[in-house]
Amino acid sequence: MSCKTILASKVSASFRNQIKEDIKERNIKPKLVGFLANEDPAAMKYAEWTSKTCAETGVEFELRKISKLELEEKITEANDDKSINGIMVYYPVFGGKQDLYLQSCVSELKDVEGLCHKFVHNVYHNIRFMDETETMKCIIPCTPLACVKILEYIGVYNPVIPYGNRLYGRTIAVINRSEIVGRPLAAMLANDGAKVYSVDVNGIQVFTRGTGIKLAHHKVEDIDATVEQIIPQCDVVITGVPTPKYKMPTSLLKDGVVAINFSSSANFEDDIKTKASIFVPSVGKVTVAMLERNLLRLHDYQNDLTEKNKN
Amino acid sequence: MSCKTILASKVSASFRNQIKEDIKERNIKPKLVGFLANEDPAAMKYAEWTSKTCAETGVEFELRKISKLELEEKITEANDDKSINGIMVYYPVFGGKQDLYLQSCVSELKDVEGLCHKFVHNVYHNIRFMDETETMKCIIPCTPLACVKILEYIGVYNPVIPYGNRLYGRTIAVINRSEIVGRPLAAMLANDGAKVYSVDVNGIQVFTRGTGIKLAHHKVEDIDATVEQIIPQCDVVITGVPTPKYKMPTSLLKDGVVAINFSSSANFEDDIKTKASIFVPSVGKVTVAMLERNLLRLHDYQNDLTEKNKN
């Protein structure tokens, strides 16, 4: 069996070290506030990781446990509090559309998760800077960004190809089309050149880059195909189905596939290593590193330390 | 039987006439584009009404029938098209959170439905102007606004009481807590002084004005009560359950209640007039009038004709 298992802790190590050094060298003390308004075990675990990683890297982290109905007001207060550099919320809170409303209540300048409408919109439209002079890079939703960083780490992104095109020729399946992870991830991978099959209970869509469309750098089509038909064509399969009941059948995967799971449940079967060349069983620790990376970026924007001003 | 039935056409007449006169006197030609990306019969009926009312009042209306997957790009094009003053979308499109994402894709300056994040956020926070100098009034979501205009028309808002307090002392139930109508409506009524019971399948909440909270002018509490307990206390019951199966039992209503239905299905029982003092069976035509009213306002903002500049 020659499958290589890559742990998120390994991928995140270099990011964590870089963040730690940066904070130490510059003698700054960025502060992140996390709001926990649910009893979801996955959210609580994620909060623990955030706390632990922040302590290791020199980020001040404060977990605020509050009730659902206080949340919007507490976000508003944190938006206005200059001692806070970043705000995150452990979802789900209400679970439905109200959560999407709440995501946009976080100020753009403090949105470490990259989930407010502007940032998500920019992902779909392949807009990579917040400002016209291109000194402030956009904040990218954390979990999709973590998946991209993992794909870079394991060599799926080909650095020989010019930036913005490094997935050209790759076929990738993303099993999840949530507004928080699956849909933006499919768009990002397509914007970088991949052909992406986006799969959820409502059907299968293909995300590919259009040609010459002004803003929308990828286009989306519904296709009339089955998982059984598309999975054998995929070089990379990324799963994120939030239940242990869902399993991607190993028998469908092509030999040497790259298998990545971002669900808190194991979505690949136990024999995945008999087929995959690379297997990444979870991404959570990379997500937390991306949170911190976004925090540092926002800290600098708040203090007007854009690339231009730093040089 | 002394119940007075008030038709939406009657409430909307004065608004329609005012809009028509305004357009004629000022010799303007505001243009509204509606995007229809579903086959929903209620949406198609709403599109017909929009078209008919626009023709009567002098608004140029163009219905664009497109596929779901084209919608975002078409909205972006319309945002950039200076010949278009207002944009609306007939929902549902995808039906889930992606629809909320789409609502915020419409430019604030063209959002006649008032559904983008900024406008909905301002409703919750009781922020009534778009700008600091208070020359540009906020756009308010159409259906909640239509309900408020109906409540004004039928005397539930008491004009003897100062503006912003005209529902003080009233108890109102809103049966629907959608992000599009029920939740913003409950907030608006509470911001104007009412005690509002917001009811949906997940439970009952009470919206009342807090005291002295900087931005959130109402607060929300979960309460452990049943529909049977709260409805008999309500002066006004507003229903919006999108199925003909749902019926508010007449037996629960207090004598002389004001009954308003904004669902496209009849949510009150056939004998409602034996209990109600006023019955409003539908609100759709007032909603369309509010769309046009918002369109004129946005037309003026686009042409820098705010109240200040008009005087």
Side-chain angles (χ1 to χ4, degrees), chain A residues 69 72-73 76 80 96-98 100-101 104-105 117 121 124-125 179 183 205 213-215 220 222, chain B residues 69 72-73 76 80 96-98 100-101 104 117 121 124-125 179 183 205 213-215 220 222:
Chain A
L69 294 174
E72 182 172 351
E73 199 184 330
T76 305
D80 293 338
K97 288 184 180 173
Q98 200 172 338
L100 211 70
Y101 167 79
S104 282
C105 289
H117 183 267
H121 181 266
Y124 290 121
H125 293 257
E179 288 300 296
R183 200 165 76 91
Q205 296 182 335
I213 300 164
K214 196 175 35 167
L215 285 172
V220 183
D222 285 313
Chain B
L69 294 174
E72 182 171 351
E73 200 184 328
T76 305
D80 294 339
K97 288 184 181 172
Q98 201 171 339
L100 211 70
Y101 167 79
S104 282
H117 183 267
H121 180 266
Y124 290 121
H125 293 257
E179 289 300 295
R183 199 164 77 91
Q205 296 182 335
I213 300 164
K214 196 175 36 169
L215 284 171
V220 183
D222 284 314

Side-chain angles (χ1 to χ4, degrees), chain A residues 118-236:
Chain A
K118 182 176 177 173
F119 292 143
V120 177
H121 181 266
N122 286 352
V123 161
Y124 290 121
H125 293 257
N126 206 5
I127 296 169
R128 303 199 178 196
F129 289 90
M130 286 170 77
D131 57 336
E132 283 186 8
T133 53
E134 303 201 342
T135 57
M136 292 159 79
K137 278 194 179 174
C138 283
I139 299 300
I140 293 177
C142 280
T143 304
L145 180 60
C147 293
V148 166
K149 292 295 171 189
I150 288 167
L151 291 171
E152 286 179 349
Y153 184 90
I154 63 184
V156 173
Y157 270 73
N158 186 345
V160 173
I161 301 173
Y163 175 77
N165 247 329
R166 290 176 175 170
L167 291 177
Y168 189 61
R170 305 285 188 170
T171 303
I172 303 177
V174 179
I175 319 295
N176 167 305
R177 196 159 61 236
S178 69
E179 288 300 296
I180 287 189
V181 188
R183 200 165 76 91
L185 176 59
M188 285 162 66
L189 301 178
N191 286 341
D192 282 333
K195 175 178 183 176
V196 183
Y197 291 108
S198 166
V199 179
D200 82 353
V201 288
N202 298 312
I204 301 178
Q205 296 182 335
V206 187
F207 287 56
T208 47
R209 281 199 306 205
T211 48
I213 300 164
K214 196 175 35 167
L215 285 172
H217 280 203
H218 66 277
K219 56 179 183 179
V220 183
E221 286 170 284
D222 285 313
I223 57 162
D224 192 17
T226 63
V227 168
E228 288 70 24
Q229 288 166 331
I230 58 137
I231 293 297
Q233 303 168 39
C234 293
D235 307 305
V236 181

Side-chain angles (χ1 to χ4, degrees), chain B residues 197-214:
Chain B
Y197 290 109
S198 167
V199 179
D200 83 352
V201 288
N202 298 313
I204 301 179
Q205 296 182 335
V206 188
F207 287 56
T208 48
R209 282 199 304 205
T211 48
I213 300 164
K214 196 175 36 169

